[in-house]
Amino acid sequence: MKPDLSVEVCGIKFKNPVVVASATPTKDAKYMRKCVEAGAGGVISKTISPEPLLTKYVSPRFTVLHKKGWPHIYSNYSCEFLATYSVDEWMNELKLARKYCDEGGSVLIGSISGDSLQTWSELAKKVEDIGVDMLELNFGCPHPRDLGYKSGQELGSDPDAAAEVAKIVVDSVKIPVFVKLTAEAVSPVYVAQRVKEAGASGVTVVNRFPALDVDLDTGRPLLHSTFAGVGGPWMRPITLKWIAKVAREVKIPISATNGIRTWQDMIKCTMVGASTIQTCTALMYGTKQYGHIQEFLDGMEKYLADKGYKSLDEIRGITLPQIKTWDVVDRETKAISKVNSEKCTGCGFCTTWCFYDAVSMYEEGGNKRKAQIDPNKCDGCGLCASLCPKDAITMEGPKPVFLGDFS
């Protein structure tokens, strides 16, 4: 029997945990249909707002930082704003999306951003009336600013304002309400607690960061000449940290987002407590667009089967009890580095990484240089094993060593 990838969140069943995030891939009904046809368990519509500046895009609005690391580790640096429709036009798109989600068995989640307490309430009611299953409040968008009112990340970084808006929306609708959090200048754990107290059903952890990069020749800010949003695969460890902290301290359903590029990333998000996992950058900056969704599903299913798990529920949160406090981590057990001479190419890089004079080079038959490590000098720091380009250095000790899979 195949492992069960379905999850239940706030009484709503998702056929799988893969949710397409509120962004370009869900920019209208046509593209939301593509999400459904690709097999996504859920679709979050692009955020609708009454603010006219958020509906008019700049050009260009996407670029890549650290391109040499693509497609593995790079930065999605961009400034695409919210849905390009009027509120009434967007309701028609949502009606179509509702139809497509019903046909494909996907959960439809509406995303909104108001410009006043009144419009937050009005938008929530309108989107609920269309028949969406859940709502996500966009308290994390890195773009809106200088508007004369708090929106996006600026709203999410004010715990009092976030709680106030969350309560207004929760009191206006009957469906579950999730709040999309930011890690900018505020603790997502504290905001999660505040919006939970205000009645929010769950939280999305965690949005991209506001950022700035500049043209080297002129000093002009890239793209539209102001701050943009930055995220990408490098953010996974940050996302995992905040999911774990919110899961342990607030105990509220979590939808993971940011830094998720592979099925392995999705498994890790589940292990630290997430119920659903959102994808956006992987679809936009990858090579298969919506085709990556099936890769995620196949990979998670195979992982569960190979490990003997029947469902994602069996691994959800298994990391949490294994997280130790800093004061009690093991400071006594020592592992040391060891060279596999068959893999070693004699590049000599490891001698520059060792700050304990433990690594040296020697000549093997045929004038082949090889590295060797003096176990009496090795401090067990792990740097050489982590950086060796040929994985010719491993660490051994009386206990298992966890350096990661380097992928």
Side-chain angles (χ1 to χ4, degrees):
M1 181 180 293
K2 287 185 177 181
D4 183 9
L5 291 184
S6 69
V7 297
E8 187 171 308
V9 184
C10 302
I12 297 171
K13 188 171 183 178
F14 292 72
K15 62 183 179 182
N16 63 65
V18 180
V19 175
V20 183
S22 173
T24 309
T26 63
K27 68 188 183 73
D28 58 25
K30 173 186 173 181
Y31 279 87
M32 284 188 265
R33 184 177 191 174
K34 291 177 182 284
C35 301
V36 174
E37 292 174 343
V43 178
I44 307 178
S45 64
K46 198 159 173 62
T47 305
I48 185 64
S49 169
E51 170 57 57
L53 286 175
L54 291 173
T55 67
K56 188 171 179 59
Y57 293 168
V58 298
S59 176
R61 57 185 177 274
F62 294 106
T63 190
V64 180
L65 309 181
H66 320 114
K67 188 175 181 178
K68 288 184 178 180
W70 180 89
H72 307 293
I73 295 295
Y74 59 93
S75 293
N76 159 11
Y77 187 84
S78 62
C79 56
E80 181 163 286
F81 308 141
L82 307 185
T84 56
Y85 295 77
S86 70
V87 172
D88 289 340
E89 289 171 338
W90 190 239
M91 295 308 113
N92 291 328
E93 294 296 311
L94 283 183
K95 287 177 184 177
L96 280 173
R98 175 72 277 170
K99 175 177 176 290
Y100 300 146
C101 285
D102 287 341
E103 292 171 350
S106 299
V107 173
L108 179 61
I109 302 167
S111 177
I112 63 174
S113 178
D115 59 4
S116 68
L117 292 177
Q118 181 178 344
T119 56
W120 275 104
S121 175
E122 291 172 350
L123 278 174
K125 291 175 183 176
K126 284 186 176 183
V127 174
E128 180 185 39
D129 288 344
I130 295 300
V132 301
D133 300 294
M134 308 171 94
L135 273 177
E136 183 179 82
L137 311 187
N138 193 342
F139 289 5
C141 183
H143 306 306
R145 56 178 55 81
D146 308 322
L147 293 174
Y149 59 89
K150 290 183 177 179
S151 181
Q153 169 266 318
E154 291 183 334
L155 173 60
S157 61
D158 183 331
D160 292 336
E164 183 180 25
V165 172
K167 179 169 176 48
I168 286 288
V169 173
V170 168
D171 289 346
S172 300
V173 299
K174 295 186 171 103
I175 56 177
V177 175
F178 271 58
V179 171
K180 193 168 190 177
L181 303 177
T182 177
E184 174 75 3
V186 68
S187 167
V189 176
Y190 181 54
V191 179
Q193 184 61 52
R194 292 295 305 280
V195 298
K196 177 183 178 182
E197 292 166 356
S201 302
V203 290
T204 298
V205 183
V206 60
N207 213 324
R208 294 190 301 152
F209 291 102
L212 181 69
D213 204 349
V214 300
D215 178 78
L216 193 58
D217 290 329
T218 65
R220 179 195 183 278
L222 300 184
L223 301 176
H224 56 335
S225 196
T226 186
F227 303 98
V230 70
W234 58 270
M235 268 198 69
R236 182 192 67 210
I238 299 171
T239 297
L240 293 178
K241 175 192 74 170
W242 287 121
I243 294 172
K245 283 179 171 287
V246 171
R248 290 203 305 175
E249 299 178 41
V250 185
K251 302 188 187 311
I252 190 172
I254 296 169
S255 185
T257 189
N258 229 318
I260 298 151
R261 189 184 68 87
T262 66
W263 67 262
Q264 291 96 327
D265 299 335
M266 294 195 166
I267 289 292
K268 290 179 179 182
C269 286
T270 305
M271 287 178 164
V272 297
S275 295
T276 60
I277 305 102
Q278 298 184 22
T279 179
C280 169
T281 298
L283 307 186
M284 293 183 66
Y285 287 68
T287 57
K288 299 181 180 179
Q289 206 181 76
Y290 297 97
H292 288 292
I293 292 174
Q294 193 59 52
E295 288 185 343
F296 300 151
L297 298 175
D298 291 343
M300 287 190 288
E301 187 176 271
K302 185 177 186 304
Y303 172 86
L304 293 177
D306 289 348
K307 295 290 186 179
Y309 293 119
K310 296 179 181 178
S311 72
L312 288 167
D313 291 338
E314 294 184 51
I315 64 169
R316 183 167 297 105
I318 65 171
T319 299
L320 304 181
Q322 300 184 69
I323 300 175
K324 296 181 178 181
T325 57
W326 178 83
D327 57 311
V328 299
V329 296
D330 183 3
R331 289 170 166 82
E332 304 303 324
T333 304
K334 182 179 177 181
I336 59 173
S337 293
K338 184 177 181 180
V339 178
N340 181 331
S341 61
E342 293 184 1
K343 288 185 175 182
C344 179
T345 61
C347 68
F349 293 158
C350 49
T351 61
T352 69
W353 298 325
C354 185
F355 287 83
Y356 299 92
D357 301 320
V359 185
S360 60
M361 307 299 294
Y362 72 98
E363 298 289 338
E364 201 175 57
N367 295 322
K368 292 182 180 179
R369 292 195 338 146
K370 298 287 182 177
Q372 61 183 358
I373 297 175
D374 184 340
N376 295 314
K377 292 183 178 180
C378 178
D379 185 68
C381 73
L383 189 60
C384 62
S386 299
L387 288 172
C388 179
K390 299 298 181 181
D391 295 327
I393 303 177
T394 56
M395 297 199 73
E396 298 178 357
K399 293 183 179 180
V401 173
F402 299 92
L403 289 178
D405 55 14
F406 304 124
S407 64

